[in-house]
Amino acid sequence: MAVATNSSPIDIPALIDRSRIGGFQVVMLSLCAICLIIDGFDVQAMGYVAPAIIQEWGIAKANLGPVFGAGLFGMLLGSLAFSILADRIGRRPVLICATLFFAACMLLTPLAATVGQLIVLRFITGLGLGAIMPNAMALAGEYSPLRKRVTLMMLVSCGFTLGAVLGGLLSAALIPRFGWQSVFHVGGLVPLVIGVLMIFLLPESMQFLVLRGKKLEQVGKWLRRIDSDVVISEDTRYVVNEKAGKGAPMLQLFQEGRARVTILLWIINFMNLVNLYFLSNWLPTIAKDAGLSTATAVMAGTTLQIGGTLGTLVMGQLIDRSGFRRVLIPVFLVAGLAVFLIGRPEISLLFLFASIFVAGFCIVGGQPAVNALAGTYYPTTLRSTGIGWSLGVGRIGSIVGPVLGGELIRLNWPNSTIFIVLAVPALVSAAMLVLMQETSHRSKAQAVVAH
């Protein structure tokens, strides 16, 4: 039994680390995961309804390009801005408000009658969507014991990919019966319900509250739900072995020796999202142009996402056992090889799908690992900002990837050359992780000398 007195304050991270994962944490992690499922659904919703809108409105395909770009740009800005806000006022209020906000935007989207209105609605929806991943990941990490932290963070993050897959299945069922508007009705009503549930069931980060000196009585209640044996009185003190942040959170990413790793994380995110969005957007089209049937080309894109889902599930456990760099460095090296092989015209169909699966496993599955790496590197006061800005800068890559793909295809580059170019970002990601490893070793050596 843990007894808290003035002489024995409760170390919150240590208590979470030694406690089993109980119902309270399961509910919290489930809410974050469900939030990311609908996040993934809503991010991909425009892609699913695009053919129906083109047919109903009688517009050219190219007219929807700015609509896709507006949503991604909104997500980029939302990720940057609201992650900083979350490190100021808390993960809980930002996550709840962002969920309710993008729910309302989704419900308004079926009212759009022009491409211009769609551009505006997708941009403001993107602002809310951009706040979800950094805060859900940060909150999941802060309630997970160290021994399972990366696995649980990546499982929660996997909800985004799952949401994209479910979105495709639901859209295929809804659009023929109820029209494209029904996809946005579902995409708005579900997060509305989730947002209300979060108001009653979602806790705030206890580490955040202790560092801010706020709502300490609520911290005690949540601690008792994690460990029913803990004894808490009015005199109980709580500790988190971190310093409260001072100054602008974004600037703190470059202070106290964090600048080098921050920049390396940004580069890794950018490079991996160039790959991820290039493959997600162009792989079916390239496969179709290479002579495969439409059904087989669609299966190529599906295989990429299946590989990514399995990669997320497997990598989390491996990283918890062996560490990020021992897993991710070989993963990105293999990703470069797999991408290179996708473009080889001489390989068999079976080998092509195997290469696509491996690329998805490493690139799509590797992205949640990169998010978790940012979440475990930064302290509580910077966690949302660290994840959010890493993702935000990476989302520039999510815009560059599809545009680059379109330009290379327009220039009539052969597939073999295109996929050689695409292999480079994966190799750069591996190189950046090697530099991060060297930075970590150097920091530890300096700490030993200082002592």
Side-chain angles (χ1 to χ4, degrees), residues 334-391:
V334 171
L337 177 61
V339 170
F340 167 77
L341 291 173
I342 291 172
R344 306 313 300 169
E346 68 273 11
I347 64 173
S348 67
L349 185 63
L350 179 62
F351 201 75
L352 171 65
F353 270 74
S355 298
I356 292 170
F357 176 85
V358 172
F361 186 99
C362 297
I363 292 169
V364 181
Q367 187 56 43
V370 175
N371 296 340
L373 174 57
T376 54
Y377 174 73
Y378 293 106
T380 301
T381 53
L382 293 178
R383 190 159 291 127
S384 285
T385 300
I387 300 172
W389 275 73
S390 184
L391 264 176

Side-chain angles (χ1 to χ4, degrees), residues 117-248:
Q117 291 172 359
L118 269 182
I119 290 172
V120 173
L121 282 165
R122 288 310 291 172
F123 173 75
I124 60 173
T125 304
L127 292 173
L129 292 169
I132 302 301
M133 179 71 79
N135 290 292
M137 290 284 286
L139 204 53
E142 286 158 354
Y143 273 91
S144 300
L146 183 61
R147 64 187 180 276
K148 289 285 185 183
R149 185 164 299 156
V150 176
T151 297
L152 291 171
M153 289 177 76
M154 289 182 66
L155 278 173
V156 168
S157 182
C158 193
F160 185 89
T161 307
L162 182 60
V165 174
L166 289 175
L169 297 174
L170 279 173
S171 297
L174 290 171
I175 293 173
R177 288 188 173 188
F178 307 107
W180 63 267
Q181 295 88 345
S182 61
V183 175
F184 291 101
H185 291 147
V186 172
L189 288 172
V190 174
L192 197 62
V193 173
I194 294 168
V196 173
L197 287 174
M198 288 196 295
I199 292 173
F200 296 100
L201 299 175
L202 189 73
E204 180 57 274
S205 162
M206 294 184 292
Q207 295 94 317
F208 173 85
L209 292 177
V210 170
L211 288 169
R212 296 287 180 180
K214 297 178 179 178
K215 299 183 179 178
L216 298 183
E217 71 286 350
Q218 189 64 59
V219 170
K221 293 178 183 177
W222 288 329
L223 279 176
R224 278 194 290 266
R225 296 191 66 181
I226 293 173
D227 182 356
S228 58
D229 291 335
V230 71
V231 176
I232 297 171
S233 69
E234 293 181 358
D235 299 324
T236 299
R237 291 184 298 121
Y238 307 103
V239 296
V240 175
N241 292 319
E242 297 176 16
K243 295 185 294 184
K246 294 181 180 179

Side-chain angles (χ1 to χ4, degrees), residues 9-38:
I10 295 178
D11 184 328
I12 290 177
L15 185 145
I16 292 173
D17 287 345
R18 65 175 177 263
S19 299
R20 68 179 183 85
I21 300 170
F24 175 66
Q25 286 145 296
V26 169
V27 169
M28 189 282 303
L29 291 167
S30 297
L31 281 173
C32 289
I34 294 169
C35 196
L36 280 173
I37 288 172
I38 199 64

